[in-house]
Amino acid sequence: MKFFVDTANVDDIREINDLGLLDGVTTNPSLIMKSGRDIIEVTKEICSIVEGPVSAEVTAMEYSEMLKEAEVLAKIADNICIKLPLTLDGLKACKALTGDGHQTNVTLCFSANQALLAAKAGATFISPFIGRMDDISLEGMELIAEIRQIYDNYDFQTEILAASVRTVNHVKDAALIGADVVTAPPATLKALVKHPLTDKGLDAFMADWAKTGQSIG
Ligand code: E4P
């Protein structure tokens, strides 16, 4: 499973990337707003930190305007992945951009049929938003399972990018179902390592080690 971090904060991206576990980054207009920075400038910096795909989202609603914005975004770096909304214009732009050799991420997916359309449009990634579904008492994880089954039925190569991840259990459940990628906020990715028995065990080992009076090396 690939790990993407869902933020436009370069300090957080650097920290997670330095762990050696990061495969890519996802951003969106809200995350750019939170960064307080210019989209081109901050996206360029992110692309210089991380080798994998960096999703940058178009903000136009209409096909030809989306393509114009995609052209600007694609010039930022070779690892840009153009993020497009799950609308008819977005799908049409996805088809055109993947045909031109760009990586694409179709975002704001909330149904299996939408994911089917994105795969038919040749999307590199489909982003089902788990947390936002759970927020309104829908089952985000069921959607991941449905998409997995449909993509496997037809051998679609579009990768399932579990998005809007809010908890460590979202990560585990998406992995169990077989999502190809998970994108999560920095705090959620870092929380994956936490277990009280690990902390307790380490404390005990360190206390016993101190009693030996030894040091290694
Ligand atoms: C995915 O690409 C989106 O940027 C993100 O996961 C949305 O998450 P949210 O629902 O927490 O805003």
Side-chain angles (χ1 to χ4, degrees), residues 6 128-131 162-168 170-171 174 182-185 188:
D6 197 30
F129 276 34
I130 301 168
S164 186
V165 161
R166 305 270 164 80
T167 67
V168 289
H170 277 158
V171 177
V182 71
T183 190
T188 308

Side-chain angles (χ1 to χ4, degrees), residues 6 26-28 31 83 107 127 129 132 163-166 183:
D6 197 30
T26 49
T27 67
N28 62 40
L31 293 171
K83 206 172 183 189
T107 190
S127 289
F129 276 34
R132 292 193 195 189
S164 186
V165 161
R166 305 270 164 80
T183 190

Side-chain angles (χ1 to χ4, degrees), residues 90-170:
L91 291 168
K92 190 173 167 187
C94 175
K95 183 85 182 172
L97 290 165
T98 49
D100 284 347
H102 294 289
Q103 294 193 79
T104 49
N105 175 358
V106 177
T107 190
L108 290 166
C109 173
F110 294 96
S111 80
N113 280 334
Q114 288 180 323
L116 178 56
L117 288 170
K120 286 188 69 66
T124 315
F125 302 102
I126 180 68
S127 289
F129 276 34
I130 301 168
R132 292 193 195 189
M133 292 185 73
D134 290 358
D135 285 346
I136 57 163
S137 301
L138 296 173
E139 293 293 336
M141 217 45 73
E142 271 176 22
L143 175 60
I144 302 286
E146 286 177 357
I147 300 172
R148 180 73 283 154
Q149 187 177 333
I150 290 169
Y151 283 9
D152 289 349
N153 284 348
Y154 298 98
D155 204 21
F156 282 123
Q157 296 307 299
T158 298
E159 294 187 38
I160 302 173
L161 196 173
S164 186
V165 161
R166 305 270 164 80
T167 67
V168 289
N169 281 343
H170 277 158

